[in-house]
């Protein structure tokens, strides 16, 4: 084939260009060791890389969540331990063990005082916080779960732990608790509102009363700013209750608290206002509260339906409702189950003029029963803590694996990068040198 | 011996002038050795046969040739290589336009060294976890709102960048490529005219032919052309070349682009998504049909006939909607990727709007995202909904289950977290399924689709370019100037000149002897 200077110089130009572009790519790779810079260079690698990145991000979040959960469990465990210690002190160490029918009144007085002092500690420990959150409040972590009302009754999230009624409803008429204020449906209305639910929606549609589903739906324009307690009161007083039969005195409906307080959308059960619940009657409210669950996603394959039903195996329940170990309601004979109330009752039994072992024994038995439930709760938390530890270890291992796999896809071996660079640099230099000889002579240089 | 006395001088004279022509041509070649597109020229020398035209009677004596004559100077060029070169160039042109556009598209979505939508999705998941931990907390919600707002802005930015890439490509097409083609057509026609009139006058105008070939090479990069040359005898022993250039249509129909000194032009019209190319005559009137009349054109529209070259590449990239085309199959141009991004944005927005709202069918009562222009949600128009923007209290529906005392559960927030792991069916507006997977997987899929197309076309482009280079090298091998060759030619023409001059002096001496030395005995 005939070869001309033109051809040689053009080909040389092209090849030199190629060598130089390889050299510049190798230089870039040797500074950041990336395997590729665009999806076009390695589409499958790009796809894998981003899959790893997303998984790593999730893994990091799970690890953070688990750490949080771990700390809370630790704090909860230590609170429960101190409660347990206190309870065993009371029942098995000094106090109640030594009480017999012949203990003197002065001794009994001393023991009663000690017990009363200890029960304050019980409440404050049950209201323990982790940071800004109350540990034993179930799904409500912003308000203290246990409060003692002025008349000495104990409330768990506004419900009396013995009578299981919402506070303020002692025979005065149905009521419910909305944003920490009581909506009183009025003693004049008797039991008309018993069993109803109050639903507050953010809507501008008219409010309704539905006797079939037993709901009172109040629509406030919450996002539009018409959502104060005063508005709620006005809405309730303005509703048409004729469907409920009988005559409902609207003006008897009132809501406590500051009228300018904010209401948020919610659904609340209205509690009957007549007598306290009889022993043994299941009460949906308190049972639900005692079994409340608050879920955290720690990477167990979270499964939630669009109607918000959570598959319990797919998330971790961090809720430890205080009422579940402190007890609620009454058992046979009208003895309350709640430890705080029991301690108060035991103290008053001890100081009573007609003290007798027969009279105090049921209380002592109830106290022992509930104390063992505290122990059970502690064991459960211990098991949860173990599970969390296991999950932490597993997540850490997963995270390391993912990081490794990602690095394998995203980066090239340092040695390879440096080798590529050296080779490319050498080729380029060699090409430059060859050019010097290639483009020099032609026949014309040798003519006379 | 019956040649004329001074006939020898004629032979020598012819020899000298032929050698001088040879030297001039060699000099021309040598000075043009670096000129782009120059084809080396050579002298066509023939020896002159003895004639008996001037004799009354045919003689029986040996006839001697009468020297040499330069009949013409011609080019050394292989026309078949030209045809192959132009066919290959057309493929290169098409591939290079697509490659440049796909590179720009890739850059928009590439998140290897920068943060984009994928990173923001992951960030939003993190914020949802924080909210799940503190449902109803206004600070957690505020952070989520900021994160969601950033996401919408990044969507807007991607859309803008894609549109900029589109506008730049469209500008390149309408302001650069088509006017260049039109200029080329005009220049080729003008050169045709000049070459033809030169050839009639006897000048083969080789340099103009070189220029014309260069222009046709450039033209072949843009348009799928076919060059037809015919040699027409015009009498007097002369023939001229007539060159016409046709556009090869989809099914082999031919459309004249240049016919000797007449030329047609390309017109471009249309806006986003439906650019069209039409064939017009030099006055701007649309051409009615193909050359043989078999295919009629409506107002000269030849968009469907552009099957190769850069212009075809531009049309694919500007008009191609891929799977989103309402009928038929189209290439995957910029509109395809814009549509993919819009599908992602609207799916994402609708899913979260449904999750946050308490009613199950649109219009949703608590939307998180909405369109800024009131129409469908697209990547360009997605924004945080006004309701959310303006709300001062809790807006996120943290739970759809009723709680006992109105405290805020977090079930719906957890549900929203799972939405990022749920497989969605992504489909075009017409129902053609595109992809099944999570939002992030779909985004990665857009990237890898663009990446795969890019790498495939890159491979094709490299192959085509390698073959083009090869053909070009072969062309150069035939047509380009070798200084070695020319150096040798210099020497041989020089020798020929010297030899012819020596002949002259020899004859001169001989005649001198005859004229001055003969018949002077006894003077």
């Amino acid at each position: 084939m005939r070869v001309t200077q033109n051809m040689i110089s053009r080909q040389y130009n092209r090849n030199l260009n190629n060598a130089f572009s390889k050299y510049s790519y190798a230089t870039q790779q040797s500074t950041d060791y990336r395997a590729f810079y665009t999806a076009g260079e390695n589409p499958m690698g790009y796809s894998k890389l981003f899959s790893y990145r997303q998984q790593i991000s999730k893994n990091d979040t799970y690890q953070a969540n688990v750490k949080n959960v771990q700390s809370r469990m630790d704090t909860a465990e230590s609170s429960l331990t101190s409660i347990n210690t206190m309870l065993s002190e009371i029942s098995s160490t000094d106090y109640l063990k030594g009480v017999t029918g012949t203990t003197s009144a002065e001794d009994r007085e001393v023991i009663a005082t000690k017990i009363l002092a200890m029960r304050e500690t019980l409440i404050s420990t049950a209201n323990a916080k982790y940071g800004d959150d109350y540990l034993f409040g179930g799904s409500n972590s912003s308000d203290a779960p246990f409060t003692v009302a002025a008349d000495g009754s104990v409330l768990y999230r506004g419900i009396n732990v013995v009578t299981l009624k919402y506070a303020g409803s002692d025979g005065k008429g149905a009521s419910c608790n909305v944003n920490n204020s009581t909506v009183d449906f009025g003693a004049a209305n008797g039991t008309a509102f018993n069993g109803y639910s109050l639903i507050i929606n953010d809507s501008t549609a008219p409010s309704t009363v539905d006797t079939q589903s037993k709901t009172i739906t109040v629509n406030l324009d919450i996002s539009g700013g018409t959502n104060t307690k005063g508005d709620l009161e006005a809405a309730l007083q303005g509703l048409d209750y004729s469907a409920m039969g009988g005559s409902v005195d609207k003006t008897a409906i009132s809501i406590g608290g500051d009228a300018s307080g904010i209401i948020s959308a919610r659904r609340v059960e209205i509690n009957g206002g007549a007598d306290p619940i009889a022993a043994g009657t299941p009460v949906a409210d308190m049972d639900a509260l005692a079994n409340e669950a608050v879920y955290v996603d720690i990477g167990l394959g979270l499964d939630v339906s669009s109607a918000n039903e959570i598959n319990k195996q797919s998330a971790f329940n961090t809720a430890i409702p205080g009422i579940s170990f402190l007890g609620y309601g009454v058992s046979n004979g009208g003895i309350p189950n709640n430890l705080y109330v029991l301690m108060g009752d035991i103290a008053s039994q001890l100081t009573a003029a007609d003290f007798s072992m027969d009279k105090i024994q049921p209380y002592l038995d109830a106290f022992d029963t509930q104390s063992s439930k505290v122990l059970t709760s502690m064991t459960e938390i211990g098991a949860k803590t173990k599970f969390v530890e296991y999950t932490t270890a597993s997540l850490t291992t997963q995270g390391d694996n993912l990081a490794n796999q990602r690095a394998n896809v995203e980066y090239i071996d340092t040695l390879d990068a440096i080798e590529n660079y050296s080779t490319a640099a050498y080729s380029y230099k060699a090409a430059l040198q060859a050019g010097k000889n290639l483009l020099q002579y032609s026949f014309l240089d040798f003519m006379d | 011996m019956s040649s004329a006395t001074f006939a020898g001088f004629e032979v020598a004279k012819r020899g000298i002038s032929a050698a001088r022509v040879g030297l001039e041509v060699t000099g021309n070649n040598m000075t043009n050795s670096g000129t782009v597109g120059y084809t080396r020229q050579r002298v066509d020398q023939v020896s002159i046969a003895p004639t008996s035209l001037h004799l009354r009677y045919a003689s029986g004596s040996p006839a001697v040739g009468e020297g040499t004559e330069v009949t013409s100077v011609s080019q050394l060029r292989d026309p078949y290589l030209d045809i192959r070169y132009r066919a290959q160039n057309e493929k290169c042109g098409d591939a290079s336009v697509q490659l440049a556009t796909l590179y720009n598209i890739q850059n928009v979505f590439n998140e290897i060294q920068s943060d984009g939508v994928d990173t923001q999705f992951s960030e939003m998941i993190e914020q949802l976890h924080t909210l799940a931990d503190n449902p109803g907390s206004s600070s957690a919600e505020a952070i989520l709102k900021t994160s969601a707002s950033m996401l919408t802005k990044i969507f807007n930015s991607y859309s803008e960048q894609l549109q900029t890439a589109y506008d730049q490509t469209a500008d390149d097409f309408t302001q650069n490529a088509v006017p260049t083609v039109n200029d080329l057509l005009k220049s080729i026609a003008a050169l045709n005219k000049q070459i033809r009139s030169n050839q009639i006058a006897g000048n083969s105008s080789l340099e103009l032919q070189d220029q014309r070939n260069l222009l046709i090479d450039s033209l072949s990069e843009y348009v799928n052309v076919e060059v037809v040359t015919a040699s027409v005898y015009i009498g007097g022993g002369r023939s001229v070349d007539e060159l016409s250039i046709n556009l090869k249509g989809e099914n082999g129909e031919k459309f004249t682009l240049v016919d000797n000194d007449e030329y047609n032009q390309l017109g471009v019209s249309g806006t986003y998504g439906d650019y069209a190319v039409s064939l017009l005559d030099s006055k701007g009137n649309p051409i009615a049909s193909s050359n043989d009349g078999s295919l009629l054109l409506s107002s000269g529209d030849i968009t469907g006939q552009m099957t190769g070259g850069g212009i075809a590449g531009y049309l694919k990239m500007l008009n191609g909607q891929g799977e989103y085309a309402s009928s038929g199959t189209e290439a995957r141009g910029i509109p395809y990727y814009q549509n993919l991004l819009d599908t992602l944005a609207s799916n994402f927005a609708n899913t979260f709007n449904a999750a946050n709202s308490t009613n199950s069918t649109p219009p949703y009562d608590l939307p998180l995202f909405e369109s800024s222009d009131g129409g469908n949600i697209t990547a360009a128009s997605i924004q945080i909904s006004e309701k959310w923007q303006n709300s001062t209290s809790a807006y996120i529906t943290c739970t759809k289950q009723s709680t006992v005392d109105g405290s805020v559960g977090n079930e719906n927030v957890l549900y929203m977290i799972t939405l990022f792991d749920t497989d969605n069916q992504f489909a075009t507006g017409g129902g053609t399924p595109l992809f099944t997977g999570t939002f992030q997987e779909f985004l990665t899929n857009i990237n890898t689709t663009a990446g795969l197309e890019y790498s495939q076309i890159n491979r094709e482009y490299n192959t085509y370019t390698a073959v083009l280079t090869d053909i070009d090298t072969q062309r150069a091998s035939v047509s380009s100037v070798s200084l070695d060759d020319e150096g040798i030619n210099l020497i041989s023409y020089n020798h020929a000149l010297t030899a012819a001059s020596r002949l002259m002096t020899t004859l001169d001496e001989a005649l001198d002897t005859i004229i001055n030395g003969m018949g002077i005995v006894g003077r």
Side-chain angles (χ1 to χ4, degrees):
Chain A
M1 183 168 110
R2 183 169 168 270
V3 174
T4 65
Q5 279 73 25
N6 213 336
M7 280 161 65
I8 292 178
S9 66
R10 285 208 297 203
Q11 247 180 1
Y12 176 69
N13 210 350
R14 267 192 289 269
N15 291 335
L16 191 65
N17 233 339
N18 272 341
F20 189 71
S21 66
K22 285 199 183 100
Y23 174 57
S24 93
Y25 186 79
T27 310
Q28 194 180 15
Q29 266 195 330
S30 68
T31 51
D32 58 20
Y33 302 109
R34 283 188 175 277
F36 51 89
Y37 296 90
T38 61
E41 289 175 44
N42 187 351
M44 291 302 114
Y46 186 94
S47 174
K48 269 195 235 166
L49 172 64
F50 276 84
S51 167
Y52 289 139
R53 274 196 189 180
Q54 288 152 19
Q55 288 180 54
I56 288 175
S57 169
K58 289 200 186 108
N59 182 282
D60 287 341
T61 311
Y62 296 146
Q63 286 197 38
N65 283 354
V66 158
K67 217 166 156 193
N68 206 0
V69 164
Q70 179 83 60
S71 314
R72 295 170 71 117
M73 292 288 118
D74 287 343
T75 316
E77 203 170 358
S78 69
S79 297
L80 269 179
T81 311
S82 70
I83 291 180
N84 193 43
T85 316
M86 182 198 330
L87 293 176
S88 32
E89 257 190 56
I90 295 178
S91 67
S92 53
T93 333
D94 321 84
Y95 310 144
L96 294 176
K97 204 169 186 193
V99 171
T100 62
T102 56
T103 316
S104 70
E106 294 79 27
D107 290 343
R108 282 189 270 119
E109 181 88 34
V110 164
I111 296 174
T113 319
K114 281 190 184 167
I115 292 178
L116 284 176
M118 293 196 91
R119 76 169 185 168
E120 298 316 311
T121 324
L122 183 70
I123 282 283
S124 62
T125 314
N127 281 340
K129 272 176 134 177
Y130 174 76
D132 283 336
D133 297 335
Y134 288 96
L135 281 172
F136 299 111
S139 67
N140 185 342
S141 60
S142 43
D143 303 319
F146 290 99
T147 49
V148 180
D151 62 358
S153 60
V154 181
L155 307 173
Y156 176 75
R157 285 169 65 180
I159 304 181
N160 187 312
V161 305
V162 178
T163 66
L164 303 181
K165 299 185 298 178
Y166 279 101
S169 68
D170 308 0
K172 285 195 174 60
S175 68
C176 63
N177 197 315
V178 174
N179 284 87
N180 290 323
S181 292
T182 308
V183 178
D184 186 356
F185 284 90
N189 293 321
T191 55
F193 285 97
N194 283 12
Y196 272 78
S197 305
L198 173 64
I199 302 176
I200 301 175
N201 270 341
D202 176 13
S203 164
T204 49
S207 307
T208 56
V209 174
D210 186 350
T211 49
Q212 210 167 19
S213 62
K214 288 209 158 186
T215 54
I216 298 174
T217 308
V218 174
N219 289 328
L220 300 176
D221 190 3
I222 292 180
S223 51
T226 325
N227 60 343
T228 62
K229 294 181 180 174
D231 293 327
L232 178 62
E233 192 179 74
L236 285 171
Q237 287 177 347
L239 271 179
D240 175 14
Y241 297 98
S242 52
M244 289 169 69
S247 55
V248 168
D249 182 3
K250 296 185 198 185
T251 57
I253 303 177
S254 67
I255 174 166
D258 183 6
S260 62
I262 300 294
I263 300 273
S264 32
R266 58 188 54 234
R267 180 196 170 110
V268 197
E269 309 307 317
I270 300 174
N271 230 345
D275 302 313
I277 311 289
T281 313
V283 177
D285 286 347
M286 208 51 141
D287 282 341
L289 283 178
N291 292 316
E292 230 177 10
V294 173
Y295 289 103
V296 174
D297 182 10
I298 56 170
L300 302 170
L302 184 63
D303 176 14
V304 188
S305 75
S306 61
N308 285 183
E309 286 138 5
I310 301 186
N311 178 347
K312 297 190 186 351
Q313 311 304 325
S314 66
F316 184 82
N317 180 11
T318 60
I320 311 167
I323 204 69
S324 65
F325 54 84
L326 284 190
Y328 60 96
V330 294
S331 42
N332 291 326
I335 311 289
N337 291 326
N338 185 278
L339 281 171
Y340 182 89
V341 174
L342 273 174
M343 284 163 85
D345 285 347
I346 289 174
S348 40
Q349 286 284 323
L350 284 171
T351 51
D354 55 347
F355 168 76
S356 79
M357 279 311 288
D358 289 335
K359 283 179 75 179
I360 201 176
Q361 197 54 48
Y363 292 96
L364 297 177
D365 291 338
F367 187 83
D368 285 338
T369 316
Q370 195 60 37
S371 302
S372 64
K373 290 213 176 123
V374 172
L375 202 54
T376 313
S377 287
M378 262 184 66
T379 322
E380 278 172 11
I381 294 189
K384 276 189 175 176
T385 312
K386 266 275 161 296
F387 178 74
V388 168
E389 271 172 29
Y390 165 76
T391 311
T392 310
S394 148
L395 282 174
T396 315
T397 315
Q398 260 181 40
D400 288 341
N401 282 344
L402 284 171
N404 264 345
Q405 287 171 320
R406 169 186 156 164
N408 281 341
V409 174
E410 196 170 1
Y411 297 103
I412 55 172
D413 194 30
T414 319
L415 290 176
D416 285 341
I418 295 180
E419 212 181 288
N420 286 347
Y421 172 74
S422 311
T423 315
Y426 180 75
S427 306
Y428 180 59
K429 270 208 195 123
L432 287 172
Q433 280 191 323
K436 201 170 64 133
N437 295 328
L438 207 56
L439 300 172
Q440 270 194 339
Y441 300 113
S442 73
F443 179 73
L444 299 172
D445 298 294
F446 294 97
M447 280 166 62
D448 291 326
Chain B
M1 112 100 245
S2 54
S3 65
T5 315
F6 297 101
F9 279 109
E10 290 300 313
V11 172
K13 200 172 71 177
R14 286 186 200 126
I16 290 173
S17 67
R20 282 192 57 211
V21 169
L23 283 173
E24 275 164 28
V25 168
T26 307
N28 192 18
N29 280 343
M30 278 171 66
T31 48
N32 276 313
S33 68
T35 310
V36 175
Y38 179 78
T39 313
R40 66 189 168 124
Q41 298 171 357
R42 63 139 188 244
V43 174
D44 291 332
Q45 254 179 292
V46 294
S47 57
I48 300 179
T51 63
S52 50
L53 286 176
H54 56 277
L55 294 177
R56 192 179 172 84
Y57 301 106
S59 77
S61 37
V64 181
E66 300 192 1
T68 180
E69 189 186 359
V70 172
T71 49
S72 63
V73 177
S74 57
Q75 285 184 321
L76 284 164
R77 194 176 184 103
D78 184 350
Y80 177 59
L81 281 176
D82 279 334
I83 294 174
R84 283 182 59 200
Y85 181 86
R86 285 157 194 163
Q88 198 64 25
N89 204 13
E90 173 189 312
K91 293 189 194 142
C92 283
D94 190 353
S96 85
V97 165
Q98 290 189 52
L99 209 57
T101 317
L102 282 169
Y103 185 76
N104 286 339
I105 294 176
Q106 254 197 127
N107 271 348
V108 172
F109 291 102
N110 190 11
E111 276 187 71
I112 289 186
Q113 289 174 297
S114 60
D115 290 340
V117 173
D118 185 77
T119 314
Q120 202 58 33
F121 274 145
S122 293
E123 157 88 14
M124 209 172 139
I125 298 177
E126 250 184 76
Q127 302 311 337
L128 279 171
H129 273 277
T130 310
L131 184 62
D133 216 27
N134 307 301
S137 145
S138 48
S139 58
E141 256 202 51
I143 297 180
L144 181 67
K145 186 158 46 170
T146 313
S147 179
S149 175
M150 272 250 52
L151 181 65
T152 61
K153 293 211 173 32
I154 297 184
F155 265 119
N156 298 150
S157 157
Y158 272 28
S159 178
E160 227 178 275
Q161 287 177 52
L162 274 179
Q163 190 59 39
T164 307
Y166 186 91
D167 292 337
Q168 281 175 349
T169 310
D171 270 350
D172 217 24
F173 177 55
T174 54
Q175 317 289 355
N176 204 352
V178 171
T180 306
V181 168
N182 287 340
D183 279 343
L184 285 170
L185 292 173
K186 217 162 149 183
S187 311
I188 292 174
L191 274 173
N192 273 346
K193 192 167 168 190
Q194 248 188 305
I195 289 172
R196 195 165 186 273
S197 40
N198 279 357
Q199 285 181 340
I200 290 175
N203 174 5
S204 52
S205 46
L206 299 173
E207 287 74 17
L208 292 179
Q209 285 189 35
D210 282 342
Q211 262 187 46
R212 185 173 64 184
N213 272 324
L214 269 182
L215 290 181
I216 299 178
D217 284 349
S218 295
L219 181 67
S220 70
E221 195 184 329
Y222 291 98
V223 186
N224 38 328
V225 294
E226 163 196 67
V227 178
V228 178
T229 30
S231 196
V232 175
Y233 183 68
I234 54 164
R238 298 216 176 109
S239 51
V240 294
D241 289 332
E242 303 215 325
L243 182 127
S244 58
I245 301 181
N246 296 329
L247 174 74
K248 283 180 301 196
E250 215 179 359
N251 297 320
E253 300 94 346
K254 299 188 206 290
F255 301 85
T256 308
L257 291 177
V258 172
D259 184 19
N260 272 324
D261 51 354
E262 284 169 11
Y263 60 94
N264 289 335
Q265 300 269 277
L266 291 180
V268 66
S269 63
T271 53
Y272 178 85
D274 62 358
Y275 280 95
V277 176
S278 52
L279 191 60
L280 315 165
D281 67 16
S282 47
K283 296 183 193 56
N285 302 320
I287 302 290
S289 70
S290 63
N291 286 3
D292 55 2
S294 61
L295 184 68
L296 295 171
L297 303 172
S298 77
S299 6
D301 183 21
I302 51 164
T303 313
Q305 309 299 327
M306 308 296 273
T307 54
I311 298 217
Y314 278 113
L315 288 172
K316 278 184 206 142
M317 286 293 116
L318 293 174
N319 292 345
Q321 296 196 6
E323 282 83 334
Y324 287 86
S326 45
S327 61
T329 49
E330 284 187 24
R332 291 174 171 172
I334 301 181
Y336 172 70
Y337 293 99
Q338 287 177 309
N339 276 325
L340 282 177
L341 187 65
D342 286 344
T343 304
L344 175 62
S346 82
N347 253 343
F348 174 75
N350 284 332
T351 310
F352 273 84
N353 284 351
N356 196 47
S357 302
T358 53
N359 58 343
S360 52
T361 50
Y364 296 112
D365 57 355
L366 292 171
L368 295 182
F369 302 102
E370 66 186 9
S371 166
S372 61
D373 58 12
N376 285 333
I377 299 181
T378 63
S381 71
I382 189 173
Q383 65 175 22
I384 300 282
S385 74
E386 227 179 288
K387 270 188 170 172
W388 194 11
Q389 189 66 49
N390 295 336
S391 82
T392 46
S393 56
Y395 185 83
I396 300 280
T397 307
C398 288
T399 182
K400 286 189 179 167
Q401 300 192 330
S402 53
T403 50
V404 186
D405 64 346
S407 64
V408 192
N410 68 353
E411 289 85 6
N412 205 34
V413 182
L414 290 177
Y415 173 64
M416 286 189 193
I417 293 176
T418 60
L419 286 176
F420 280 100
D421 277 334
T422 323
D423 279 352
N424 298 290
Q425 309 270 1
F426 295 96
T428 67
T432 317
L434 290 168
F435 184 77
T436 304
T438 70
F439 297 124
Q440 289 174 300
E441 282 170 1
F442 186 55
L443 180 67
T444 307
N445 179 258
I446 299 179
N447 258 301
T448 51
T449 306
L452 279 167
E453 295 253 350
Y454 179 85
S455 73
Q456 183 205 331
I457 294 191
N458 198 22
R459 264 197 297 277
E460 283 177 11
Y461 178 70
N462 285 337
T463 314
Y464 295 148
T465 317
V467 176
L468 188 75
T469 311
D470 203 48
I471 298 175
D472 197 39
T473 307
Q474 285 183 47
R475 267 204 319 196
S477 167
V478 172
S479 309
S480 75
V481 175
S482 163
L483 291 177
D484 300 337
D485 264 356
E486 305 306 319
I488 294 171
N489 283 345
L490 269 184
I491 292 180
S492 51
Y493 283 127
N494 200 16
H495 280 314
L497 183 65
T498 317
S501 314
R502 281 242 178 265
L503 177 63
M504 182 79 78
T505 42
T506 308
L507 290 171
D508 182 39
E509 258 189 52
L511 274 178
D512 191 43
T513 310
I514 292 177
I515 292 174
N516 295 326
M518 279 173 76
I520 55 169
V521 171
R523 228 199 299 128

